[in-house]
Every structure is written in structure tokens, then in C-alpha cells.
């Protein structure tokens, strides 16, 4: 998953005049009167929105996230129909899911800078308007392209390109998680719960194939793309009307532009200068730095592998689970109902965040330190054991004559551990890298989505070649090995961060944030 940690500074250092005029030596600060900045209790400052409005915005963003993740996985339910329709291999028929996910990995690299510089809402609305068009493009032109080019090229180019395009655009919607820090400060417990709910909305992607299977059963596979496009078009309406711009720098810049149009020609905002980045700076911040951090920072690449395996298994499950439960005589669309077991697990994990929060407060009180990144890992200690246990359990109970309910119980346990790992990895990475968290999370998200795409593409072949039991066992062994990461970083995380090549730069940026009024 990627998020923005940049904040707007209310006043510009070069336009501050200080003088030590009082007997007590207090400093009087004079601010340029033409500078557009936040007023106390400013109603347009997202931090000052009433709680009901913040919750409404968060729920709408979560609905959008759930929609785009369901879109990404829904093609798995109709791969057999597409394989028969276009006379392609099983591997090629699974390309739409894999390429959609690859696009979601690339999207933050391409579109996050635009959202940070020009505002989240403008970029999100543009992407939301284009996604239904791309989905409809898959529905309406696929048959025409088939005869114009050839049946293989048509499938590969039309559906795969449409899926890749949707994935890139959808990444911006998926990364709407960046709106949550815009609304709540880091230590606000309501904001922490909002992150918890957002993670849940990103995980319910397993509902996509289930819904798609019933659409396919009732109307045919082509309508899967059409209905998801219609739903997306409908969701644009409340988003445009009810979700305001939440990036504070974009709001201040818009105020300055409005003031100049109203005749105050000297009005300005600090972020108008800060956002004028060169092409080289943009490449460094959005491409080079995330790539370097992914391959050189142990926290980034280890947790990218761990979360990639965790989240990738969800995509693998929507491909492989129907194979396993076909042994019990289940067929489409009923077999997709087994995904609800994972949804139950995701749901049960949500209230467990209360325990994580309480333990964190206890740790802070005990050690007298707040905002310690390692505290974010406390509840993942339990998940590190539950994750591989659920996979071993599923591997050796998912076959007749063993009752189907034993393996479904394993899926519930996996869903519970998966939610904890997904949220904790994101939280820990953000806390560890502070003002450079956006680059760290971008690199991590790219690796995670690539991992997901590979598992979605080759998962069925993997299960067929290795065998159902041993395929799940191999994944369980990987989960067991990677389960040491949370314990290692809890113990050695501070030392690793101090030795980071970015430690000095992070310290410098944080020092500037703490002293915005000093020249």
C-alpha cells in the first residue's frame, strides 16, 4: 500500500521578521500579511472538520477502495469462460487479474506526485471517471478487436491493456489511504481506527470473484466488466459532491490563487514555491528513491517480502480455492462462497486493534517514550504464528473425507492474521521513515503488488504441478521463515534505522518541521 506524509507549513521562513523587544526576552514574530496560511480553528483545515464529516469522507474512501480491489480480482471467476471463448491457455486467461495488479504497483509511481502537487481530489476524480470507461472498453470492443487482429492478440491486447490501464488508475483510488493522515493527526485514536477500517476495505477483494461468479451465472461473463463499470460510475457522484480536497497544501494554494483573482495580487502561499520541483527532483522522489530504499533498506525489503506473501496469498486464494473445493463437489458460483471464511477472519481482526492500542499505551507509559515505531509490531507477534499455522492447517485438511469446515476454519484464521500483518507492516514503515515514508511505502507497495500479480498468474499451475497439499505447505514454510522479521525488527529496528543511509536526511527534514519559524 502507498501514503503521503508531507505537510504544509503555515508561514514561510524567509518572510518572517523577529525582534527581541520585550524585557523578558520573548520573541515577537511578524508574518507577511500577504501570506495565505491557516487561521486558528480554520473550518477549511481538514484537521478541523467535524467528526461526522471526517467519518463520512473515510467511509466513502473505503467504499471506493473496496470497489477497486474487487475489480482487480473479479476476472478470476470468469477465466474459464474467457479461455473457452478465445481459445487461449489457462495461463493467458488469468492475465487480466495479474496485469491489473501490476498496474496497481506502477500507479503510485506515476500518479502520486500529481496528487501531492495539485491535490488529491483532482487526480482521483480524473482517475475515477476513466476507470469505468476502461472497464466498458473491455466489454464493448473485445469481440471487434478479436476479428480485426486475431483472437489471441485481441484478448492479450484489449483485455490486458484495459486491465493494466485500470490498475494504474485504480492505484490512485487504492492509495486514498493518504487522505486519512490529512484528516487526523498521527496520535489521534480515531484516525488509527480509520486506518484499521481502510485496511479491511482493501482486503475484501475476495468478494470480487464471488460477485462476478453470480453475475456470470445470471448474465454472462461480459457483464462482469460492464456492471463493475456502472457501479464505479455511480460511486463517482457522492465522491465528487461529498469528498472535499484534503491535502492542505493544495487548499492554501487554491486560496492564494482565488485571492489574486479577487484583486489581491500580492497574495501567495508557501506551497506554491515548494511544489515547483524540477523533473529531476520528481524522478528522484518517485522513482529512484523508492527503488533504492526497496533494495537497500532492510525494513523496506524484508517487510515487502512478508506483506507481499501475505497479500499475495489472498489473490492466490481466489484462483486456487475453487480447485480445492471442487473435490467436495462445489462448482461456480457456490464455490466462491468459501471466500466468506476469509472475510469473517478479516472482520474478527478489526476489534483486536483495541488490544494493540492498549498495549502500545502501556509500553509508552512503562518506558516513558511515545511514537516508538517498534510498538506498531506488538500485535503482529501473534499473527506471525497464526499466519503459518493457518496455512499448514489448510494444506492438510482441504481434502475429502475430512470435513470441509476444518479447512474453512483455517481460512478464517488466515484472514485474521492477514489483516494484522497488512496493517502493522504499513504502520511500522510509516513510523520508521517519517517524512520519507512516502518513498518507502511506494517501494514496498510496488514489490507487494508484483508479488500478488505473480501468484495470481502462476498460482493455479503451481497447485497443479506441486499438488494441493504441498503447494500450501510450501507457502506455509515461507510464512514460517518470514515470521521472524517482526521479532528481529522489534529488537534491532532502532539500530537499523540509525545506520540507514537516509537517517541524516530524515533527521534534517524532521528538524525543519519542528522549527518552521527559525531562519
Amino acid at each position: 500500500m502507498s501514503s503521503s506524509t508531507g505537510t504544509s507549513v503555515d508561514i514561510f521562513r524567509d518572510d518572517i521578521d523577529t525582534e527581541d523587544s520585550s524585557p523578558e526576552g520573548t520573541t515577537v514574530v511578524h508574518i507577511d500579511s500577504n501570506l495565505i496560511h491557516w487561521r486558528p480553528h480554520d473550518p477549511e483545515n481538514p484537521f478541523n472538520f467535524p467528526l461526522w464529516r471526517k467519518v463520512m469522507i473515510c467511509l466513502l474512501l473505503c467504499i471506493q477502495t473496496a470497489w477497486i480491489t474487487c475489480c482487480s480480482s473479479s476476472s478470476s471467476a470468469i477465466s474459464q469462460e474467457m479461455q473457452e471463448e478465445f481459445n487461449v491457455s489457462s495461463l493467458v486467461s488469468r492475465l487480466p487479474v495479474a496485469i491489473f495488479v501490476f498496474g496497481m504497483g506502477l500507479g503510485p509511481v506515476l500518479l502520486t506526485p500529481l496528487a501531492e502537487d495539485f491535490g488529491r481530489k483532482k487526480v482521483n476524480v480524473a482517475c475515477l471517471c476513466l476507470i469505468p470507461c476502461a472497464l466498458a472498453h473491455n466489454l464493448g470492443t473485445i469481440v471487434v478487436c478479436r476479428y480485426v487482429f486475431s483472437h489471441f492478440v485481441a484478448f492479450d491486447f484489449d483485455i490486458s491493456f484495459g486491465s493494466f490501464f485500470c490498475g494504474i488508475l485504480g492505484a490512485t483510488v487504492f492509495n486514498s489511504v493518504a487522505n486519512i493522515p490529512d484528516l487526523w493527526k498521527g496520535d489521534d485514536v480515531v484516525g488509527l481506527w480509520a486506518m484499521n477500517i481502510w485496511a479491511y476495505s482493501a482486503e475484501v477483494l475476495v468478494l470480487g470473484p464471488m460477485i462476478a461468479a453470480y453475475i456470470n451465472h445470471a448474465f454472462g461473463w461480459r457483464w462482469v466488466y460492464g456492471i463493475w463499470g456502472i457501479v464505479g460510475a455511480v460511486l463517482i457522484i457522492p465522491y465528487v459532491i461529498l469528498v472535499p480536497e484534503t491535502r492542505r497544501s493544495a487548499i492554501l494554494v487554491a486560496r492564494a490563487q482565488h485571492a489574486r483573482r479577487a484583486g489581491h495580487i500580492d497574495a501567495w502561499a508557501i506551497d506554491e514555491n515548494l511544489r515547483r520541483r524540477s523533473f529531476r527532483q520528481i524522478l528522484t522522489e518517485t522513482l529512484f528513491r523508492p527503488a533504492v530504499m526497496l533494495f537497500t533498506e532492510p525494513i523496506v525489503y524484508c517487510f515487502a517480502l512478508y506483506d507481499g506473501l501475505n497479500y499475495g496469498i489472498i489473490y492466490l486464494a481466489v484462483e486456487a480455492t475453487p480447485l480445492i473445493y471442487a473435490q467436495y463437489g462445489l462448482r461456480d458460483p457456490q464455490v466462491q462462497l468459501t471466500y466468506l471464511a476469509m472475510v469473517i477472519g478479516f472482520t474478527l481482526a478489526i476489534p483486536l486493534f483495541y488490544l494493540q492500542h492498549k498495549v502500545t499505551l502501556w509500553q509508552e507509559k512503562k518506558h516513558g517514550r511515545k511514537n516508538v515505531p517498534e510498538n506498531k509490531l506488538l500485535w503482529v507477534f501473534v499473527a506471525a504464528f497464526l499466519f503459518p499455522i493457518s496455512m499448514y492447517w489448510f494444506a492438510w485438511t482441504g481434502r475429502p473425507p475430512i470435513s470441509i469446515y476444518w479447512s474453512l476454519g483455517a481460512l478464517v484464521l488466515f484472514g485474521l492474521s492477514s489483516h494484522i500483518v497488512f496493517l502493522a507492516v504499513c504502520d511500522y514503515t510509516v513510523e520508521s521513515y517519517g517524512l520519507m515514508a512516502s518513498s518507502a511505502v511506494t517501494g514496498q507497495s510496488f514489490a507487494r503488488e508484483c508479488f500478488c500479480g505473480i501468484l495470481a498468474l502462476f498460482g493455479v499451475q503451481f497447485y497443479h504441478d506441486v499438488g494441493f497439499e504441498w503447494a500450501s505447505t510450501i507457502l506455509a514454510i515461507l510464512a514460517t521463515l518470514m515470521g521472524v522479521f517482526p521479532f528481529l525488527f522489534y529488537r534491532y529496528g532502532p539500530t537499523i534505522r540509525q545506520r540507514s543511509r537516509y537517517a541524516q536526511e530524515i533527521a534534517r527534514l524532521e528538524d525543519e518541521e519542528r522549527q518552521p519559524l527559525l531562519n
Side-chain angles (χ1 to χ4, degrees), residues 327-344:
Q327 301 174 99
Y328 291 89
L330 294 179
R331 297 291 183 269
D332 293 343
Q334 289 79 17
V335 69
Q336 274 79 18
L337 293 175
T338 58
Y339 301 149
L340 292 175
M342 284 185 283
V343 176
I344 293 172

Side-chain angles (χ1 to χ4, degrees), residues 440-461:
V441 173
T442 296
Q444 220 171 48
S445 298
F446 179 78
R448 182 188 65 232
E449 302 303 338
C450 288
F451 211 120
C452 292
I454 292 170
L455 287 178
L457 187 59
F458 298 105
V460 171
Q461 183 178 344

Side-chain angles (χ1 to χ4, degrees), residues 198-502:
W198 175 86
Y200 178 79
S201 70
E203 293 161 339
V204 295
L205 63 91
V206 295
L207 296 179
M210 188 182 74
I211 296 170
Y214 279 92
I215 294 173
N216 177 38
H217 183 72
F219 305 109
W221 69 268
R222 286 177 175 80
W223 273 102
V224 170
Y225 294 109
I227 290 179
W228 281 122
I230 292 170
V231 171
V234 172
L235 289 177
I236 293 173
I237 299 173
Y239 183 89
V240 172
I241 296 174
L242 299 176
V243 178
E245 176 59 60
T246 61
R247 183 156 178 82
R248 293 184 297 281
S249 60
I251 297 172
L252 292 176
V253 169
R255 279 185 175 182
Q257 293 171 345
H258 177 75
R260 289 195 292 269
R261 287 195 298 268
H264 302 284
I265 58 174
D266 294 326
W268 63 285
I270 179 175
D271 298 283
E272 289 182 290
N273 296 321
L274 293 182
R275 81 180 192 180
R276 291 172 183 167
R277 298 179 293 177
S278 66
F279 182 69
R280 182 177 180 179
Q281 287 176 308
I282 293 175
L283 283 180
T284 298
E285 294 175 11
T286 64
L287 185 60
F288 299 142
R289 186 191 295 158
V292 171
M293 295 183 80
L294 177 61
F295 291 104
T296 62
E297 294 292 311
I299 292 174
V300 178
Y301 62 70
C302 286
F303 275 134
L305 289 173
Y306 193 36
D307 194 34
L309 177 67
N310 167 56
Y311 204 63
I313 286 177
I314 302 178
Y315 277 95
L316 176 62
V318 301
E319 297 282 359
T321 301
L323 300 176
I324 294 170
Y325 287 111
Q327 301 174 99
Y328 291 89
L330 294 179
R331 297 291 183 269
D332 293 343
Q334 289 79 17
V335 69
Q336 274 79 18
L337 293 175
T338 58
Y339 301 149
L340 292 175
M342 284 185 283
V343 176
I344 293 172
F346 300 146
T347 306
L348 291 176
I350 292 176
L352 294 181
F353 180 74
Y354 174 80
L355 299 178
Q356 155 68 12
H357 182 62
K358 287 298 182 181
V359 173
T360 297
L361 294 178
W362 175 75
Q363 283 283 89
E364 291 176 348
K365 183 178 180 180
K366 178 181 177 181
H367 298 287
R369 293 187 301 158
K370 290 188 175 183
N371 301 321
V372 178
E374 283 65 38
N375 288 339
K376 300 291 185 179
L377 298 175
L378 294 173
W379 65 334
V380 83
F381 292 165
V382 178
F385 287 100
L386 298 182
F387 183 9
I389 288 172
S390 68
M391 296 302 299
Y392 287 119
W393 179 358
F394 182 77
W396 297 101
T397 60
R399 68 184 190 276
I402 301 174
S403 172
I404 191 175
Y405 296 105
W406 282 102
S407 58
L408 290 176
L411 290 179
V412 172
L413 188 62
F414 167 74
L416 188 149
S417 63
S418 177
H419 177 85
I420 295 174
V421 170
F422 180 59
L423 184 57
V425 165
C426 180
D427 283 348
Y428 179 66
T429 304
V430 170
E431 289 289 331
S432 295
Y433 289 97
L435 294 176
M436 297 185 71
S438 180
S439 295
V441 173
T442 296
Q444 220 171 48
S445 298
F446 179 78
R448 182 188 65 232
E449 302 303 338
C450 288
F451 211 120
C452 292
I454 292 170
L455 287 178
L457 187 59
F458 298 105
V460 171
Q461 183 178 344
F462 173 60
Y463 266 75
H464 276 306
D465 292 347
V466 178
F468 296 168
E469 292 87 356
W470 282 106
S472 296
T473 300
I474 290 172
L475 296 174
I477 293 172
L478 291 175
T480 302
L481 296 175
M482 295 183 190
V484 303
F485 290 160
F487 299 94
L488 288 176
F489 287 116
Y490 185 81
R491 175 66 179 84
Y492 300 107
T495 302
I496 292 172
R497 288 197 302 276
Q498 289 174 0
R499 294 179 178 177
S500 168
R501 61 181 295 176
Y502 295 103

Side-chain angles (χ1 to χ4, degrees), residues 1-14:
M1 158 214 30
S2 95
S3 67
S4 170
T5 58
T7 57
S8 60
V9 181
D10 293 348
I11 40 186
F12 190 44
R13 273 176 262 162
D14 293 345

